[in-house]
């Protein structure tokens, strides 16, 4: 090629650029993603967003922290009620499990089933226990993302000193109470220097205990056969959960540290209690906090003897919001789909402790190596897979679940403080929640 020919080719190429022809350069599809997790988990979310943006030149996802899940839901509710312009609304919102019914009732979302069907996504590779919660009327409404279940955490060193087998954590309520007695140490002055257990007052735990007891939280099949019109937990079976809990606090073998899991987590890490309950998502946090001072073990969530229940997948999912231009909706789906793929799910799991939503993630070498280092997580995986599918273990669908959880916590607190009997406390909570359910159902025309 002569120099003159080369110059002509370069000039022709320049003339074909968007700038020379007057054409605008292709625009990236902009996707706004609201998330509601903070700390190290927020760092992991931002890491996913950054990696997606690097590998998708035609899409730009902007992750924006919105505060708590309730904060996100309240902001979203305000936007919908005030008919806020679509350009101010997010394309993707991370919402916790108990916000599922509310999100469906907003009628402002696009079920991800639409795109799962379009792209022939292999949902058979997803954990069936996780899908069971979020599938309603054969529709997967949102994509599972940060999924967790409760676990029993034990101090294996304390178990050995008490003559207990640390490789056989208690499985039933009675076994747990007996272990708590043997693990409690009292000094000569009568002061308890080591408690056998500590369980945080957390509505999620009560929901989980209902599921392990195979007890419904709400009527009409936990709101899955038809819309829930009332609660269903104020029964002798429900009261038995609180009776068991209170009996350990009363006899001084379980330390009541109030609401929220922050204090029980700290007490366990400090070696003040031998057993506690917490989310699978804090396994890495607990192991980091313990820093090898003692051997940490994990076990299944305790249940009544011979109960046929199991655990409910908790955590949160990604919701695709409707009303945006089709190209933006498709771009938002591309991020959701990408985030659920094995490679990203393995990375997410290793950096947060949340479950991979797809079983294929466990086949990746990096995740196999991670689980060799942290074998405690195998308990969580097996517990989820051993859970039978039933209306109790699918979890309840309630539009007022956030309020219900807070109301239950107040009732549990009254019981543990010796101010109310278990069944009376549950009936009192049920009356408050039932009235809220009626008002909510009327507000959404149900």
């Amino acid at each position: 090629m002569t120099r003159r020919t080369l110059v002509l080719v370069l000039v022709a190429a320049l003339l074909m650029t968007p700038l020379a022809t007057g054409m605008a350069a292709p625009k990236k599809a902009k996707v706004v993603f609201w998330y509601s997790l903070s700390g190290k988990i927020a760092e992991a979310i931002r890491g996913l967003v950054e990696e997606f943006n690097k590998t998708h030149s035609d899409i730009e996802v902007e992750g924006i922290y919105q505060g708590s899940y309730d904060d996100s839901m309240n902001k979203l509710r305000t936007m919908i009620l005030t008919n806020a312009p679509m350009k101010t609304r997010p394309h993707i919102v991370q919402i916790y499990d108990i916000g599922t019914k509310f999100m469906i009732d907003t009628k402002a979302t696009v079920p991800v089933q639409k795109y799962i069907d379009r792209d022939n996504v292999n949902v058979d590779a997803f954990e069936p226990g996780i899908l069971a919660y979020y599938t309603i009327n054969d529709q997967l409404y949102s994509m599972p993302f940060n999924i967790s279940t409760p676990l029993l955490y034990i101090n294996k060193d304390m178990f050995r000193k008490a003559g207990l087998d640390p490789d056989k954590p208690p499985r039933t309520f009675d076994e747990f109470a007996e272990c708590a007695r043997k693990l409690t140490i009292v000094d000569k002055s009568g002061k308890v220097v080591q408690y056998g257990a500590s369980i945080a007052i957390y509505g999620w735990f009560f929901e989980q205990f209902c599921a392990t007891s195979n007890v419904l939280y709400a009527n009409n099949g936990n709101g899955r056969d038809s819309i829930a019109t009332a609660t269903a937990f104020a029964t002798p079976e429900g009261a038995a959960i609180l009776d068991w809990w209170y009996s350990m606090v009363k006899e001084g073998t379980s330390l009541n540290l109030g609401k929220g899991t922050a204090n029980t987590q700290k007490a366990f890490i400090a070696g003040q209690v031998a057993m506690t309950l917490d989310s699978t998502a804090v396994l890495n946090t607990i192991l980091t906090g313990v820093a090898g001072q003692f051997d940490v073990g994990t076990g299944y969530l305790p249940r009544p003897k011979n109960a046929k229940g199991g655990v409910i997948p908790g955590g949160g999912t990604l919701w695709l919001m409707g009303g945006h231009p089709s190209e933006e909706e498709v771009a938002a789906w591309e991020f959701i789909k990408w985030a659920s793929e094995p490679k990203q799910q393995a990375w997410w799991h290793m950096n947060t402790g949340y479950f991979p939503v797809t079983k294929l993630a466990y086949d990746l070498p990096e995740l196999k190596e991670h689980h060799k280092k942290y074998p405690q997580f195998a308990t969580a995986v097996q517990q989820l897979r051993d859970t039978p599918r039933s209306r109790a273990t699918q979890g309840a669908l309630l539009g007022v679940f956030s309020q219900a959880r807070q109301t239950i916590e107040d009732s549990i607190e009254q019981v543990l403080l010796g101010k109310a009997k278990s069944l009376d406390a549950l009936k009192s909570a049920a009356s408050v929640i039932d009235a809220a359910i009626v008002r909510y159902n009327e507000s959404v025309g149900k």
Side-chain angles (χ1 to χ4, degrees):
M1 182 181 293
T2 67
R3 184 170 181 175
R4 174 182 169 80
T5 302
L6 179 60
V7 170
L8 289 173
V9 170
L10 291 173
V11 170
L14 287 171
L15 289 173
M16 291 303 294
T17 63
L19 181 62
T21 60
M23 295 168 55
K27 289 185 178 180
K28 288 186 177 182
K30 181 71 177 290
V31 173
V32 175
F33 167 33
W34 284 6
Y35 63 90
S36 298
L37 295 172
S38 58
K40 290 184 178 180
I41 298 176
E43 291 176 14
I45 290 177
R46 290 192 290 269
L48 282 176
V49 170
E50 289 172 9
E51 182 62 22
F52 179 85
N53 287 338
K54 286 178 184 178
T55 55
H56 294 73
S57 59
D58 58 336
I59 303 172
E60 181 184 356
V61 175
E62 181 185 10
I64 305 175
Y65 176 64
Q66 293 298 318
S68 69
Y69 287 121
D70 286 330
D71 289 336
S72 288
M73 286 176 59
N74 288 334
K75 290 175 184 178
L76 200 62
R77 181 187 288 110
T78 299
M79 282 185 162
I80 293 169
L81 291 176
T82 60
N83 198 27
M86 291 308 303
K87 64 181 181 180
T88 66
R89 302 191 194 188
H91 299 79
I92 304 169
V93 182
Q94 179 193 26
I95 297 292
Y96 58 177
D97 51 347
I98 60 174
T100 299
K101 182 69 169 62
F102 166 78
M103 291 298 289
I104 293 173
D105 288 340
T106 65
K107 295 182 173 60
T109 68
V110 177
V112 296
Q113 190 71 49
K114 170 184 174 180
Y115 289 101
I116 286 173
D117 293 341
R118 189 199 72 168
D119 294 352
N120 294 316
V121 175
N122 180 21
V123 292
D124 290 340
F126 287 12
E127 290 285 355
I130 296 173
L131 288 180
Y133 185 100
Y134 293 102
T135 301
I136 299 97
N137 298 326
D138 298 322
Q139 290 276 307
L140 185 61
Y141 277 84
S142 57
M143 183 63 79
F145 179 58
N146 54 298
I147 303 300
S148 61
T149 58
L151 270 183
L152 165 63
Y153 289 86
I154 68 169
N155 184 319
K156 297 178 79 170
D157 292 1
M158 289 180 178
F159 265 64
R160 294 186 186 100
K161 290 178 182 178
L164 298 168
D165 187 347
D167 296 321
K168 294 182 179 179
R171 292 290 297 270
T172 68
F173 282 177
D174 290 343
E175 290 173 358
F176 186 94
E178 182 58 28
C179 284
R181 292 187 196 100
K182 293 180 178 180
L183 290 162
T184 298
I185 298 176
V186 181
D187 65 16
K188 293 180 180 179
S189 67
K191 180 182 177 181
V192 178
V193 295
Q194 175 185 299
Y195 284 88
S198 186
I199 302 174
I201 298 175
Y202 188 12
W204 186 50
F205 290 158
F206 179 75
E207 295 153 28
Q208 296 288 347
F209 285 137
C210 284
T212 61
S213 304
N214 208 30
V215 170
L216 293 177
Y217 190 93
N219 67 1
N220 297 331
N222 258 345
R224 291 177 180 272
D225 296 331
S226 59
I227 188 169
T229 58
T231 55
F233 54 70
T235 63
E237 292 81 8
I241 296 169
L242 300 192
D243 286 343
W244 161 74
W245 198 338
Y246 171 66
S247 68
M248 293 182 290
V249 173
K250 183 180 180 181
E251 68 182 5
T253 59
S254 182
L255 177 62
N256 177 21
L257 290 172
K259 298 178 181 180
T261 59
N263 289 334
T264 52
Q265 190 180 124
K266 289 177 183 176
F268 179 76
I269 290 172
Q272 297 171 352
V273 301
M275 299 186 292
T276 193
L277 304 180
D278 217 315
S279 168
T280 51
V282 303
L283 175 57
N284 289 344
T285 301
I286 287 177
L287 292 174
T288 300
V290 170
Q293 296 178 69
F294 59 84
D295 195 3
V296 177
T298 52
Y300 286 19
L301 192 70
R303 66 193 62 202
K305 186 177 180 179
N306 298 322
K308 304 299 182 183
V311 292
I312 307 167
T317 58
L318 302 182
W319 289 81
L320 187 61
M321 303 305 298
H324 294 285
S326 59
E327 64 272 15
E328 294 178 11
E329 183 177 295
V330 169
W333 160 249
E334 286 301 321
F335 174 74
I336 292 174
K337 181 174 67 170
W338 176 87
S340 69
E341 292 171 354
K343 182 180 178 181
Q344 285 71 249
Q345 280 295 299
W347 184 90
W348 171 250
H349 165 65
M350 290 186 291
N351 283 273
T352 66
Y354 285 109
F355 278 97
V357 299
T358 170
K359 293 178 286 187
L360 298 179
Y362 296 105
D363 296 331
L364 299 179
E366 58 266 38
L367 192 51
K368 289 181 179 180
E369 188 63 31
H370 182 78
H371 283 177
K372 285 182 182 179
K373 186 177 180 181
Y374 302 110
Q376 296 92 338
F377 197 82
T379 307
V381 177
Q382 199 57 50
Q383 177 180 233
L384 180 62
R385 292 178 178 174
D386 284 346
T387 292
R389 302 279 76 78
S390 70
R391 289 307 193 211
T393 61
Q394 277 186 285
L397 296 173
L398 291 176
V400 295
F401 221 144
S402 179
Q403 178 184 341
R405 185 172 282 182
Q406 294 171 17
T407 302
I408 279 290
E409 288 172 358
D410 290 341
S411 293
I412 294 172
E413 186 171 48
Q414 291 299 303
V415 171
L416 298 188
L417 292 175
K419 296 181 179 180
K421 297 295 184 182
S422 296
L423 189 56
D424 292 339
L426 290 181
K427 287 180 178 179
S428 177
S431 66
V432 173
I433 299 168
D434 289 352
I437 291 173
V438 171
R439 289 194 299 271
Y440 176 84
N441 289 348
E442 290 175 346
S443 73
V444 295
K446 299 291 181 65

